[in-house]
């Protein structure tokens, strides 16, 4: 049942409603219990014993397992149909073209078949869909004897060139898989040089970055590298690789054919600059991203709007334009969106903005909309986001003097997350919580030289230039207590320190 629940929980509310309609149309009998089982799974009920009692009033486990399997198969059919009917699915459109062409060829309607194949070839080339092009050329060559107008030698050359492209794409996919596997094995260990790793893998697989890498493969690499950068709090090392590779690709012909991945790459580079506290450069790449979002009659605008807006708001917030940042995110949240992950990230960022401006009640009110279990949020957004969500809730209850809630949340956090924090070598979070407790128990001592000494000797700082901006934001709260200054002003002062460091 847990696997079934995991699939269902990935659906939006609208998709869940459509799936019920899908089941209703399929059900030929009125006593089918698949909709009942679906609704129980919706509520997160996974106990076989409890579900059998709800459905049958007895422990009919064999009937339950059969019903569960049928519901799972219906879910697969529903998801597959959704993807096939997706309005932006060029792959599915081309597959339909190929199937239609082959049907026409089978019935000797050769002229119509080749007309469809030619159209499919043009689209597949534009989108660099090499596996689909392979099928198109295979079909054209197979039935070349039926079309006197086809140049067989040219078609064979195109087929072989596409095979080389397809092989290269597969090699790049293998490189990405190896990078990911290396990062997984070395999870949270320091000292892994991803640039050397990529250079070695490119050499092993005979890949020339200037000739062979596309925006799609660069996006895959950046996504993986960003995992390493996040783990090691070191976006500085990734910045040079990303920008240099991007500029190489941006000069290549055919870049206009990969707009979707081009936008994704621009976003990831903008995010890297933001994490490195280079806000001007981050906004420049966001502006470029926005330009591409408007292309092709805003084809990809909706897909990237939330991520673009969130990163833009974060840049505003840390450049002393918090009112603009807050209004931007408040406006976004007035509408419903299907991208659950980014909506949750937007909410937590807005809570942070409220917190930094001492609007603690407003922050806690928005935090109350996080009504799911921590495990649900870990599945949706990740454990790091969930840790931040819990940390800021602890601080909010402390600020609002909700002492019972503060103590219970703090105890719960220690029980759930300290083993994880120790595993990933994030002892600073544990140290921070100890200082929060110290402040809670001895608020009068926070401005004393002894407390300053305690803080200075409790943390191992990596330097403001390299320090994670979100870690700095939590530290800014503590420092604001120490020097009796507003949180947001202290945050900006820490950011300013970065700029001064960068000049030396």
């Amino acid at each position: 049942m847990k696997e079934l629940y995991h699939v269902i929980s990935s659906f939006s509310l609208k998709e869940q409603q459509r799936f019920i309609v899908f089941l209703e149309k399929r059900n030929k009998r009125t006593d089918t219990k698949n909709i009942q089982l679906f609704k129980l799974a919706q509520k997160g009920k996974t106990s076989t014993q409890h579900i059998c009692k709800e459905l049958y009033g007895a422990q009919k486990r064999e009937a339950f397992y059969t019903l569960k399997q049928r519901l799972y198969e219906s879910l697969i059919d529903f998801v597959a149909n959704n993807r096939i009917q997706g309005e932006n699915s060029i792959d599915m459109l081309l597959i339909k073209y190929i199937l239609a062409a082959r049907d026409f060829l089978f019935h000797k309607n050769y002229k119509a078949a080749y007309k469809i194949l030619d159209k499919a070839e043009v689209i597949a080339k534009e989108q660099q869909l090499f596996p689909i092009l392979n099928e198109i050329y295979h079909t054209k060559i197979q039935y070349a004897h039926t079309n006197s107008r086809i140049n067989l030698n040219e078609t064979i050359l195109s087929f072989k060139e596409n095979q080389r492209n397809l092989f290269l794409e597969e090699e790049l996919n293998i490189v990405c898989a190896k990078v990911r596997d290396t990062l997984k094995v070395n999870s949270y260990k320091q000292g892994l040089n991803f640039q050397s790793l990529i250079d070695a893998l490119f050499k092993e697989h005979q890949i020339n970055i200037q000739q062979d890498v596309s925006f799609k493969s660069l996006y895959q690499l950046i996504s993986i590298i960003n995992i390493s950068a996040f783990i090691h709090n070191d976006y500085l090392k990734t910045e040079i690789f990303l920008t240099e590779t991007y500029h190489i690709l941006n000069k290549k012909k055919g870049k206009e054919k990969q707009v979707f991945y081009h936008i994704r790459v621009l976003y990831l580079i903008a995010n890297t600059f933001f994490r490195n506290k280079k806000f001007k450069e981050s906004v420049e790449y966001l502006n470029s991203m926005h330009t591409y979002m408007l292309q092709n009659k805003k084809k990809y605008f909706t897909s990237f709007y939330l991520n673009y807006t969130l990163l833009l708001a974060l840049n505003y917030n840390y450049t002393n334009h918090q009112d603009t940042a807050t209004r931007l995110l408040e406006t976004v949240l007035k509408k419903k969106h299907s991208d659950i992950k980014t909506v949750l990230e937007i909410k937590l960022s807005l809570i942070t903005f409220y917190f930094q401006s001492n609007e603690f009640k407003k922050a806690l009110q928005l935090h109350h909309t996080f009504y799911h279990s921590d495990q649900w949020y870990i599945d949706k957004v990740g454990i790091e986001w969930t840790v931040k969500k819990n940390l800021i809730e602890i601080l909010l209850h402390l600020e609002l003097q909700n002492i019972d809630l503060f103590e219970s949340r703090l105890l719960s956090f220690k029980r759930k997350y300290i083993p994880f924090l120790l595993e990933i070598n994030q002892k600073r979070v544990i140290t921070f919580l100890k200082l929060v407790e110290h402040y809670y128990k001895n608020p009068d001592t926070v401005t004393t030289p002894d407390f300053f000494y305690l803080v200075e000797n409790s943390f191992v700082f990596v330097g403001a230039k390299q320090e994670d901006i979100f870690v700095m934001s939590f530290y800014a709260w503590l420092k604001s207590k120490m020097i009796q200054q507003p949180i947001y002003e202290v945050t900006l002062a820490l950011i300013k320190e970065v700029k001064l460091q960068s000049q030396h």
Side-chain angles (χ1 to χ4, degrees), residues 105-131:
L105 288 166
F106 180 77
H107 291 96
K108 299 183 180 180
N109 191 351
Y110 304 126
K111 187 176 179 180
Y114 270 88
K115 190 175 180 180
I116 293 170
L117 288 171
D118 288 343
K119 185 177 180 180
E121 182 184 352
V122 170
I123 298 170
K125 275 184 174 179
E126 285 179 353
Q127 301 296 323
Q128 296 187 321
L129 300 173
F130 306 124

Side-chain angles (χ1 to χ4, degrees), residues 5 9 42-43 340 344 367-378 380 385-386 389-390 416:
Y5 169 71
S9 64
Q42 262 184 316
K43 296 174 183 176
I340 297 171
L344 290 171
H367 200 285
H368 285 328
T369 63
F370 298 144
Y371 51 82
H372 289 288
S373 68
D374 273 13
Q375 187 56 53
W376 189 90
Y377 289 112
I378 289 168
K380 293 292 180 185
W385 181 94
T386 310
K389 173 188 80 76
N390 284 292
K416 287 182 181 177

Side-chain angles (χ1 to χ4, degrees), residues 60 89 160 218 390:
K60 296 183 178 180
S89 180
K160 289 185 175 180
L218 178 60
N390 284 292

Side-chain angles (χ1 to χ4, degrees), residues 83-84 89-103 116-117 120-121 123-124 129 131-133 135-136 139:
R83 297 298 170 261
I84 290 171
S89 180
I90 295 171
D91 300 57
M92 289 302 172
L93 175 67
L94 293 178
I95 289 168
K96 287 178 184 178
Y97 282 169
I98 294 169
L99 291 173
R102 285 175 178 170
D103 187 74
I116 293 170
L117 288 171
E121 182 184 352
I123 298 170
L129 300 173
I132 291 176
L133 269 171
E135 292 298 315
I136 292 168
T139 306

